[in-house]
């Protein structure tokens, strides 16, 4: 049985009834929306000697992020959100029932069910048994979770089980209800959508179904999201998710992860990326599909992008991408398709499939305003930033240019102020509405969201050639603290470069006491 072809026989998706837009968020939180609108990124002064097409992984990420920095809502268009009266479990069950019906099966035909629910309806161990009971299934029900890679990890697991002859027909359910765990006043809520997907896996005709999968660890992104329990309005404990102190690791590892996974999966399948008809990446942000497209150097027209329609729906994105690709005619029988997912703090996975005769569940409600143009993947080189008015330019002084050499050439007592002025200038340039009230004692977390913090970090590292941990932009760290940290790192680098000979001549300036 080890060579038996195994793949998806049917799939279905189900989403809540509420279609939420950034404008609706702005109406609910007018003061926060005004702050978001103030976060307008003006064009950055070109840095001499910096190659815009540099192979640096972080540079690739930053290049694709740049067009969205002038958008206060970071490319968000729509997301599906649970209504007050809607039940996550009911949505999960409907997706599963639709997949079973599309395959022409009955509940008794299912021999195993695997479920992965991010932020399920109830606290406790696993959601699979409760789902199986509600669906009327009599088979074993397992809970499997690998954050946003759960769907592909489940598919890899099921393929092995079917090939081994343990089961013949397996039902997989994945869901994501991010709106339940994010503070509505947190800008992270813009991107958190809700939904469920389900698929049935069985043996397939030769050469169809899953050809190869490659899974790798992403534990270097542990801490990208933080979780804590809070008390809700009813006095009950509730899980709350927010951006974590290691959020920058997602950007730093994104390009390497997608290259490793996708190229390895293709090699295992015995094909090249040029032979892939369609690429489906998970899209937790508006620019993620573009980052993956650029990283793999593939044609953008072969890439799915559902972020404008659903925003971040976690592991459901893998199922939704396949569903909409097949439903819209972008994916036909015998086409090669590559699905890639990146689960923060868990695994990244890529699966190559030869698409078979897959039955689809009912079509979900169409988006209210998303256009095909918005779902077209366009690389940063083909995009333009929002226009900047003359009055905008008049209110912001020319940006300070600073380099590592300039700091080291300055008089010792002036270096800290020089770095501090550089940092203040960048923030004032990026957030002109906050310029009058900005001071060195301002906590960075009060003026920068995670994306702006990551962009700021990248610019500092390019200009000053010093690595800055993402933690320096969170908590109580101020602009003055950041300037001191940067200067300490620059001075330490000078000491490391000194000759080991104790009798060698050294500059007295480099022997100064560090501000640790």
């Amino acid at each position: 049985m080890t060579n038996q072809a195994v793949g998806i026989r049917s799939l279905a998706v189900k989403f809540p009834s509420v279609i939420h837009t950034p404008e609706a968020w702005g109406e609910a939180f007018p003061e926060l929306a005004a702050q978001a609108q103030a976060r307008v990124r003006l064009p950055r002064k070109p840095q001499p000697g910096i190659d815009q097409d540099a192979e640096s992984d972080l540079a690739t990420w930053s290049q694709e992020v740049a067009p969205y920095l002038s958008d206060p809502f970071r490319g968000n268009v729509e997301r599906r959100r649970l209504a007050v009266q809607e039940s996550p479990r009911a949505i999960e069950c409907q997706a599963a029932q639709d997949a079973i019906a599309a395959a022409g099966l009955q509940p008794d035909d299912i021999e195993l069910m695997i479920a992965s629910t991010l932020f399920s309806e109830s606290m406790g161990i696993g959601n699979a048994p409760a789902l199986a009971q509600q669906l009327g299934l009599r088979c074993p029900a397992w809970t499997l979770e690998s954050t946003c890679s759960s769907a592909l990890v489940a598919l890899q697991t099921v393929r092995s089980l079917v090939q081994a002859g343990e089961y013949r027909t397996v039902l997989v359910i994945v869901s994501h209800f991010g709106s339940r765990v994010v503070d509505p006043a947190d800008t992270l809520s813009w991107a958190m959508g809700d939904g469920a997907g389900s698929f049935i896996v069985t043996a397939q005709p030769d050469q169809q179904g899953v050809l190869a999968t490659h899974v790798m660890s992403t534990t270097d992104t542990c801490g990208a999201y933080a979780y804590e329990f809070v008390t809700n309005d009813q006095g009950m404990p509730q899980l709350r998710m927010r951006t974590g102190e290691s959020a920058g690791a997602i950007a730093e590892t994104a390009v390497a992860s997608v290259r490793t996974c996708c190229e390895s999966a293709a090699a295992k399948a015995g094909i090249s990326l040029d032979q892939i008809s369609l690429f489906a990446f998970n899209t937790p942000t508006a620019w993620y599909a573009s980052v993956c497209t650029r990283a793999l150097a593939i044609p953008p027209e072969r890439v799915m992008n559902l972020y404008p329609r659903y925003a971040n729906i976690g592991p459901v994105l893998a199922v939704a991408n396949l569903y909409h690709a097949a439903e819209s005619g972008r994916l036909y029988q015998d086409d090669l398709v590559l699905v890639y997912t990146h689960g923060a703090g868990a695994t990244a996975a890529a699966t190559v499939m030869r698409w078979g005769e897959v039955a689809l569940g009912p079509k979900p409600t169409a988006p209210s305003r998303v256009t095909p143009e918005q779902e077209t993947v366009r690389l940063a080189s083909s995009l333009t930033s929002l226009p900047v008015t003359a009055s905008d330019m008049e209110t912001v002084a020319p940006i300070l240019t600073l380099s590592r050499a300039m700091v080291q050439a300055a008089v010792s007592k002036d270096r800290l102020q020089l770095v501090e002025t550089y940092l203040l200038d960048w923030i004032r340039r990026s957030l002109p509405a906050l310029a009058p009230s900005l001071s060195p004692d301002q906590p960075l977390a009060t003026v920068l969201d995670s994306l702006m913090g990551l962009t700021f970090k990248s610019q500092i590292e390019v200009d000053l050639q010093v690595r800055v941990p993402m933690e320096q932009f969170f908590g109580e760290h101020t602009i003055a603290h950041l300037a001191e940290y940067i200067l300490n790192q620059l001075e330490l680098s000078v000491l490391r470069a000194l000759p080991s000979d104790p009798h060698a001549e050294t500059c007295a300036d480099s022997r100064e006491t560090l501000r640790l």
Side-chain angles (χ1 to χ4, degrees):
M1 292 291 290
T2 55
N3 294 322
Q4 172 67 57
V6 176
I8 295 173
R9 174 170 171 175
S10 68
L11 59 82
V13 291
K14 182 67 178 178
F15 297 96
S17 59
V18 176
I19 297 179
H20 199 257
T21 64
E23 289 78 10
W25 185 88
E27 292 172 3
F29 305 99
E31 293 183 1
L32 293 174
Q35 293 177 19
Q37 293 287 347
R39 290 175 174 174
V40 178
R41 177 74 168 105
L42 298 179
R44 189 177 71 194
K45 183 175 180 179
Q47 299 296 312
I50 299 297
D51 182 3
Q52 295 302 309
D53 293 321
E55 295 181 0
S56 164
D57 291 352
L58 190 55
T60 297
W61 172 279
S62 299
Q63 187 173 8
E64 295 306 322
V65 168
Y68 296 95
L69 292 176
S70 57
D71 177 1
F73 295 106
R74 306 296 188 240
N76 182 265
V77 183
E78 290 183 6
R79 65 185 176 106
R80 307 298 169 104
R81 192 187 68 181
L82 283 167
V84 175
Q85 73 279 8
E86 285 182 307
S87 160
R89 192 162 293 155
I91 291 173
E92 292 167 317
C93 286
Q94 187 61 63
Q97 289 166 346
D98 289 342
I100 293 171
L105 300 173
Q106 298 298 322
D108 285 347
D109 296 322
I110 306 301
E111 299 177 355
L112 171 68
M113 190 198 83
I114 293 180
S116 177
T117 303
L118 287 187
F119 319 120
S120 64
E121 187 169 304
S122 59
M123 297 182 188
I125 54 169
N127 195 38
L131 283 171
Q133 183 182 46
Q134 194 160 333
L135 288 167
L137 302 180
R138 302 179 183 180
C139 62
W142 302 346
T143 297
L144 178 153
E145 181 273 312
S146 193
T147 63
C148 291
S149 288
S150 296
L152 294 189
V153 171
L155 180 58
Q156 181 193 44
T157 303
V158 172
R159 181 197 184 202
S160 297
L161 291 170
V162 174
Q163 286 182 330
E166 295 289 339
Y167 301 97
R168 293 170 299 175
T169 306
V170 182
L171 172 68
V172 177
I173 305 171
V174 292
S175 62
H176 181 271
F177 297 100
S179 71
R180 304 180 69 247
V181 296
V182 179
D183 184 348
D186 188 341
T187 55
L188 183 62
S189 68
W190 298 339
M192 285 294 168
D194 301 330
S198 183
F199 55 92
I200 289 177
V201 180
T202 62
Q204 298 286 304
D206 290 343
Q207 304 304 314
Q208 289 188 349
V210 176
L211 302 183
T213 296
H214 185 82
V215 180
M216 62 179 284
S217 170
T218 60
T219 53
D220 46 6
T221 60
C222 285
Y225 295 102
Y227 302 90
E228 58 191 4
F229 278 102
V230 299
T231 302
N232 61 22
D233 296 339
Q234 289 74 42
M236 300 297 291
Q238 178 182 354
L239 183 66
R240 183 71 79 208
M241 180 176 73
R242 58 177 174 80
T243 302
E245 293 190 356
S246 300
I250 293 178
E252 293 167 356
T253 61
V255 172
S257 293
V258 70
R259 281 181 181 153
T260 299
C261 271
C262 294
E263 291 173 356
S264 297
K268 288 179 181 179
I271 63 169
S272 67
L273 294 181
D274 292 339
Q275 295 174 266
I276 301 293
S277 300
L278 187 76
F279 294 84
F281 306 112
N282 72 317
T283 47
T285 61
W287 52 89
Y288 209 91
S290 298
V291 170
C292 295
T293 300
R294 185 180 292 278
L296 298 178
I298 56 178
E301 59 271 17
R302 295 187 193 173
V303 179
M304 290 288 292
N305 178 27
L306 293 180
Y307 184 84
R309 186 180 306 214
Y310 296 125
N312 181 10
I313 49 175
V316 184
L317 276 164
V319 185
N321 271 311
L322 291 174
Y323 178 94
H324 285 288
E327 188 277 328
S328 64
R330 294 189 65 179
L331 186 59
Y332 294 95
Q333 190 168 340
D334 291 326
D335 280 350
L336 288 173
V337 57
L338 186 151
V339 185
Y340 170 77
T341 57
H342 185 281
T347 57
T351 296
V352 177
M353 290 180 267
R354 189 176 298 279
W355 198 243
E357 191 174 347
V358 181
L360 304 179
K363 190 175 179 180
T365 303
S368 63
R369 64 178 188 178
V370 175
T371 65
E373 177 71 14
Q374 289 172 311
E375 293 186 336
T376 300
V377 175
R378 297 185 183 280
L379 301 183
S381 57
S382 63
L383 297 174
T384 57
S385 299
L386 294 181
V388 181
T389 64
S391 61
D392 289 331
M393 298 304 295
E394 290 171 0
T395 59
V396 184
I399 192 165
L400 172 67
T401 299
L402 190 65
S403 67
R404 181 190 186 113
M406 292 170 64
V407 175
Q408 293 172 341
V411 177
S412 178
K413 66 182 180 65
D414 295 335
R415 291 176 184 170
L416 182 61
Q417 184 177 357
L418 185 62
V419 175
E420 198 172 272
T421 301
Y422 160 81
L423 299 177
L424 285 166
D425 186 71
W426 190 96
I427 297 175
R428 286 171 177 150
R429 178 80 175 184
S430 303
L431 310 173
L434 300 179
S437 61
L438 203 61
S439 73
D441 296 327
Q442 185 94 27
L444 287 159
T446 64
V447 295
L448 302 177
D449 61 16
S450 56
L451 177 58
M452 289 295 285
L454 185 59
T455 305
F456 195 13
K457 164 185 159 72
S458 177
Q459 187 63 47
I460 292 168
E461 292 178 348
V462 168
D463 289 347
L464 302 182
Q465 300 173 37
V466 59
R467 189 167 181 80
V468 183
M470 199 66 189
E471 302 87 74
Q472 292 294 321
F473 299 88
F474 291 95
E476 298 300 318
H477 291 285
T478 65
I479 296 169
H481 289 149
L482 179 60
E484 197 165 321
Y485 177 87
I486 292 171
L487 187 58
N488 282 338
Q489 296 307 303
L490 289 172
E491 291 169 347
L492 280 170
S493 68
V494 171
L495 291 179
R496 293 190 193 102
L498 292 176
S500 57
D501 182 356
H503 302 293
E505 292 185 4
T506 59
C507 174
D509 238 9
S510 64
R511 295 281 190 187
E512 67 180 300
T513 302
L514 301 182
R515 303 171 186 81
L516 297 178

